[in-house]
Amino acid sequence: MSDLLADYRDETLGCTRCPLAATRTQVVFGAGDPNADLIFVGEAPGFHEDKQGLPFVGQAGQLLEKLLNGIGLSRTDVYIANVLKCRPPGNRDPQPDEIEACESHLFRQIELIRPALVATLGNFATKLLSGRPTGITRVHGTPQRVTLGGNEVTLYPLYHPAAALYTRSMLSVLEADFARIPELLGTANPRPEPLRVPGPVPAREPAPLVEEPAVQLGLF
């Protein structure tokens, strides 16, 4: 993990911005390649994530890993995070005040990792990062350009893998949408280069004056 991302993770481990701090086992910051070109953003930690401190380690996480393997990727190639860093009691939906309290953590992660592609998993991540109220049913599989963490990225809404655990027909939709990820990674804007302060420009000797033949000047 990059030093800046690791430092920020350490800062969040004691977060008390919302009441979820009183019911969580631990903060689930995120995991994966800190220099990833692709970030997946889910909803919130569940029971297993809360116990292990890692995102997507339950059944939905196992399916996510299979979907990644199907396009030649693994968890170590990407970064995985959630809108909320703490588990809501009973795995209930995130509340608006919880999202508001926690969203800056996610935006800071995106700013530090600087991915080319951000894949949102489900309604909550899609609505937050797109800035639009349109539900996942209408926008899944449709990439869009947005600015996140100060950089322009491709946002790619996907159904949450948990949906396929309850509705098996959803699996084929997820597989079809995942199949486009390699293409999107290939066409997304490359990772912005870090800013470099230019050094002094060496002085140049003035070019010698060469007198052109008159014929070239169009005088004859």
Side-chain angles (χ1 to χ4, degrees), residues 56-68:
F56 281 85
V57 292
Q59 284 185 295
Q62 293 170 18
L63 178 53
L64 175 61
E65 192 156 2
K66 289 180 181 179
L67 290 164
L68 283 170

Side-chain angles (χ1 to χ4, degrees), residues 154-168:
T154 298
L155 190 75
Y156 190 47
L158 300 165
Y159 281 111
H160 196 288
L165 298 176
Y166 302 106
T167 308
R168 298 305 299 177

